[in-house]
Amino acid sequence: MKPERIFEEFPAPSYRGTQEQALRDVRDAFAAGNDVVLVRAPTGSGKSLLARAVAGCARRAGAGDPSDATGAYYTTPQVSQLDDVAADDLLADLNVIRGKSNYTCILPEERDTPVNQAPCVRERGYDCSVKHRCPYFSDRAIASNREIAAMTLAYFMQTAGSDVFRKRDVVVVDEAHGLAEWAEMYATIQLGPRTVPFWDDLRVPEVDSVERAVRYAESLAGTCERRKDDLLAQDSLSPGEVRERDRLQELIGDLEWFVSDFRDPQSPTTWLVDQSDPRSSGRDGGDGDDPQGGPLTIKPMSPEKYLQHTVWDRGNKFALLSATILNKDAFCRQVGLEPDRVALVDVDHTFPVENRPLYDVTQGKMTYDERDETTPKIARTIVRLMQHHPDEKGLIHAHSYDIQDRLADLLSDFGVGDRVRTHDRDGRDAALDAWKASDDPDVFLSVKMEEALDLKGDLCRWQVICKAPFLNTGDSRVAHRLEEGQWAWYYRTTLRTVIQACGRVVRAPDDYGATYLADSSLLDCFERARTDMPDWFAAQVDRMKRPELPSFEPRTALAGTDAGGRSGRGSRTRSRGANADGSGGSGRSPSRSSGSRRSSGSSPLADVWETDE
């Protein structure tokens, strides 16, 4: 790596904000001998441009010994982030490669067939006459032979050990804050009717220990191997059989990894096993002497060994970028890095704090036991916010589909349903695109959209966080950590998601948007995670105050729409999230904000219990 090249590799014609200083700090961190540099860069700092500059410092082909790793990888866990990179002219030399399922076959009779189900994978010995023009293999060949290959983190991890995508000199991971969680998710093994092609033919035992799960995994891997061999013996497969073959191969690899890792005395991974009720998969539970179990979920805790193989062995130097790597030492522990070999570079926030205000509109707690009482109050508050922002789009972070449904019903009952949009699991992207494309001042009730969403300018001027995004304490991984007293990790993870959510509506120094906090548990989270809070976000928290909102009059919430419920598009209200009286003062800290407060002697778990999806 040649960190001194970082300025000439910066792809933009000029610097904005603190980019030049950030490049200098990153250069110095690598020059000091650090193998890994964490770049904590807030929204709007141009992380992708910084990432490109770092990637350009990689050793080039022909420099050094032939066996030396050259070139760079750029990877991100978010598909939308990769899409943004692919569409950015300044990043045109990041050669993007995606998984086979994202490409379609170009044979005349196979135009609608994904490449991962095309004749070349269905028929033994198939010689494709147009493979040189196949969009997947073409992109793969280009990406594998150019200086910088760009891909999702999923594809990057799946190609570990590949002869095509070998070790490179530099690896850049964008939006890296969730690297440990993504690794845990990728390494989790789901065994059930949706993931095991012949589930109904299996006899699944009751699994009461990890050791029992290991023995069953060995047996199942052998069964999968035989099923796969039967498929491979056929000269031609249907698309469905191709999917089964590929799923079996993936499953065999996962099971063998689990068995090998568990039996490795040097592995730091802790494994947990959850088993569902047999009735959840249509089983009757078997007879009394030989009870039959249900679907299994095999989960790794902090899978350092998995990350070693899929990430850390893939490069010599690493740059990990995110706005929300909140605690360096804790992050390093989670992903298996030695903090002494890791540098942290902080990039200053360049957005005026008055353009990104937080407002306390808390109505109580949204814990499972208190939700029935609090949700109607939040719905009434949303109506008042709609009145306050009659001509501006709003985003409601509902946290779960249960809360989304409740709020949608209440808002409809209040008579403002014509200004409200929702989405389901299957149509979320289409619903989001339609809302963004519309000029109407509609309010979008969203689920799990705290990250990877760019709502610049008039796309959205205000948002509401309805529930503190605590992790589900019913999840065995979360419960295990809390049993070990890892409450700092728990609140830090929640704070990270809140900060990500706050960045959705303010995307440039001259942009503005307000974030309203409706769950009083958010204020408690801010207190508990204060030491891990970036200074620029702490400044937002310190300025937070309760706004003066209009009295509850639902009909005025539709003031910006015509009789049919669509926008009449009058003049826009440039609120900057200001109070109803136009003020935007510094406000008060959350410790003085009103709302339900937890007594110091109560269990923290009582405030955060969550069983939603």
Side-chain angles (χ1 to χ4, degrees), residues 124 222-234 245 248 252:
R124 183 191 300 174
T223 303
C224 290
E225 193 74 53
R226 291 188 291 274
R227 297 279 295 223
K228 187 191 73 169
D229 289 345
D230 289 342
L231 291 171
L232 292 176
Q234 301 180 35
R245 179 201 62 194
L248 289 172
I252 292 166

Side-chain angles (χ1 to χ4, degrees), residues 48 51 72-76 81-82 85 94 148-152 172 174:
S48 296
Y73 288 116
Y74 169 89
T75 182
T76 173
Q81 181 72 18
L82 191 67
V85 166
L94 269 66
I148 307 174
M151 60 195 69
T152 64
V172 179
D174 205 350

Side-chain angles (χ1 to χ4, degrees), residues 394-416:
L395 177 69
I396 312 299
H397 295 282
H399 184 74
S400 71
Y401 285 99
D402 173 65
I403 296 174
Q404 181 201 59
D405 290 343
R406 295 191 195 197
L407 288 174
D409 289 343
L410 288 164
L411 294 173
S412 180
D413 291 343
F414 291 148
V416 299

Side-chain angles (χ1 to χ4, degrees), residues 418-486:
D418 283 340
R419 197 179 157 190
V420 175
R421 298 181 184 225
T422 63
H423 66 85
D424 56 21
R425 289 176 174 83
D426 297 327
R428 54 183 287 134
D429 291 341
L432 174 63
D433 290 343
W435 174 67
K436 290 170 64 176
S438 172
D439 290 330
D440 300 316
D442 289 346
V443 175
F444 192 46
L445 292 179
S446 72
V447 178
K448 303 300 182 187
M449 291 190 181
E450 296 91 350
E451 298 189 35
L453 184 58
D454 184 350
L455 298 176
K456 59 188 175 184
D458 289 340
L459 287 176
C460 188
R461 290 298 183 191
W462 59 281
Q463 61 180 344
V464 182
I465 301 179
C466 292
K467 185 188 180 305
F470 292 116
L471 296 176
N472 184 356
T473 54
D475 180 275
S476 57
R477 260 191 300 240
V478 176
H480 182 83
R481 288 191 169 108
L482 295 186
E483 287 171 1
E484 294 184 337
Q486 296 184 34

Side-chain angles (χ1 to χ4, degrees), residues 1 29-30 32-38 169 171 312 315-319 337 340-343:
M1 184 184 190
F30 277 118
N34 292 290
D35 295 325
V36 181
V37 176
L38 310 182
D169 189 38
V171 176
W312 308 130
N316 294 323
K317 300 288 185 178
F318 295 83
L337 294 174
D340 292 345
R341 300 173 54 211
V342 178

Side-chain angles (χ1 to χ4, degrees), residues 342-417:
V342 178
L344 174 64
V345 169
D346 262 318
V347 180
D348 291 335
H349 208 312
T350 59
F351 298 0
V353 67
E354 59 268 21
N355 286 16
R356 44 186 172 92
L358 296 177
Y359 290 100
D360 174 3
V361 293
T362 54
Q363 300 300 309
K365 296 178 181 178
M366 284 292 283
T367 57
Y368 192 76
D369 290 338
E370 299 180 65
R371 187 172 306 167
D372 288 345
E373 179 181 351
T374 306
T375 303
K377 297 177 183 179
I378 291 179
R380 290 177 67 89
T381 301
I382 291 172
V383 173
R384 297 173 68 195
L385 289 168
M386 293 169 70
Q387 295 172 230
H388 185 48
H389 298 273
D391 293 312
E392 295 179 323
K393 290 183 176 182
L395 177 69
I396 312 299
H397 295 282
H399 184 74
S400 71
Y401 285 99
D402 173 65
I403 296 174
Q404 181 201 59
D405 290 343
R406 295 191 195 197
L407 288 174
D409 289 343
L410 288 164
L411 294 173
S412 180
D413 291 343
F414 291 148
V416 299

Side-chain angles (χ1 to χ4, degrees), residues 51-306:
R52 167 59 186 82
V54 174
C57 297
R59 180 189 290 114
R60 293 170 180 165
D65 296 331
S67 59
D68 289 338
T70 61
Y73 288 116
Y74 169 89
T75 182
T76 173
Q78 299 168 351
V79 175
S80 59
Q81 181 72 18
L82 191 67
D83 292 340
D84 291 343
V85 166
D88 192 333
D89 291 339
L90 293 175
L91 304 173
D93 60 347
L94 269 66
N95 296 276
V96 175
I97 175 65
R98 306 175 192 270
K100 283 185 178 182
S101 62
N102 295 280
Y103 300 85
T104 54
C105 183
I106 59 174
L107 291 171
E109 65 277 13
E110 301 283 349
R111 297 288 185 181
D112 296 326
T113 304
V115 171
N116 64 338
Q117 298 175 28
C120 58
V121 296
R122 296 200 314 256
E123 300 178 22
R124 183 191 300 174
Y126 185 84
D127 184 14
C128 182
S129 60
V130 294
K131 183 175 181 178
H132 62 290
R133 292 191 291 112
C134 172
Y136 170 72
F137 287 102
S138 176
D139 277 4
R140 191 182 74 163
I142 292 171
S144 65
N145 286 288
R146 299 291 172 83
E147 290 293 328
I148 307 174
M151 60 195 69
T152 64
L153 186 63
Y155 188 86
F156 180 68
M157 288 180 164
Q158 289 165 6
T159 56
S162 165
D163 289 334
V164 177
F165 292 107
R166 300 180 180 179
K167 181 177 182 177
R168 294 201 172 191
D169 189 38
V170 173
V171 176
V172 179
V173 183
D174 205 350
E175 301 298 343
H177 51 271
L179 185 58
E181 290 87 347
W182 281 93
E184 287 182 347
M185 182 187 72
Y186 292 139
T188 293
I189 305 171
Q190 300 278 358
L191 302 178
R194 294 183 179 180
T195 58
V196 181
F198 49 92
W199 178 257
D200 290 339
D201 299 334
L202 291 175
R203 185 161 194 84
V204 184
E206 283 189 348
V207 175
D208 55 3
S209 67
V210 180
E211 291 82 358
R212 183 69 184 88
V214 168
R215 294 196 298 273
Y216 180 67
E218 284 185 302
S219 172
L220 180 58
T223 303
C224 290
E225 193 74 53
R226 291 188 291 274
R227 297 279 295 223
K228 187 191 73 169
D229 289 345
D230 289 342
L231 291 171
L232 292 176
Q234 301 180 35
D235 291 332
S236 180
L237 301 176
S238 68
E241 290 171 329
V242 168
R243 289 192 296 271
E244 180 177 350
R245 179 201 62 194
D246 293 345
R247 177 62 193 129
L248 289 172
Q249 183 58 54
E250 180 183 1
L251 193 55
I252 292 166
D254 290 344
L255 293 169
E256 290 179 344
W257 169 267
F258 164 52
V259 173
S260 171
D261 184 85
F262 180 79
R263 290 184 170 161
D264 178 2
Q266 303 301 316
S267 174
T269 310
T270 297
W271 290 91
L272 303 175
V273 179
D274 296 334
Q275 186 166 35
S276 304
D277 190 307
R279 289 169 293 185
S280 66
S281 60
R283 299 181 183 277
D284 61 9
D287 57 48
D289 294 331
D290 186 16
Q292 191 169 5
L296 289 168
T297 303
I298 303 171
K299 303 176 181 180
M301 296 278 295
S302 301
E304 298 174 20
K305 186 177 176 182
Y306 181 81

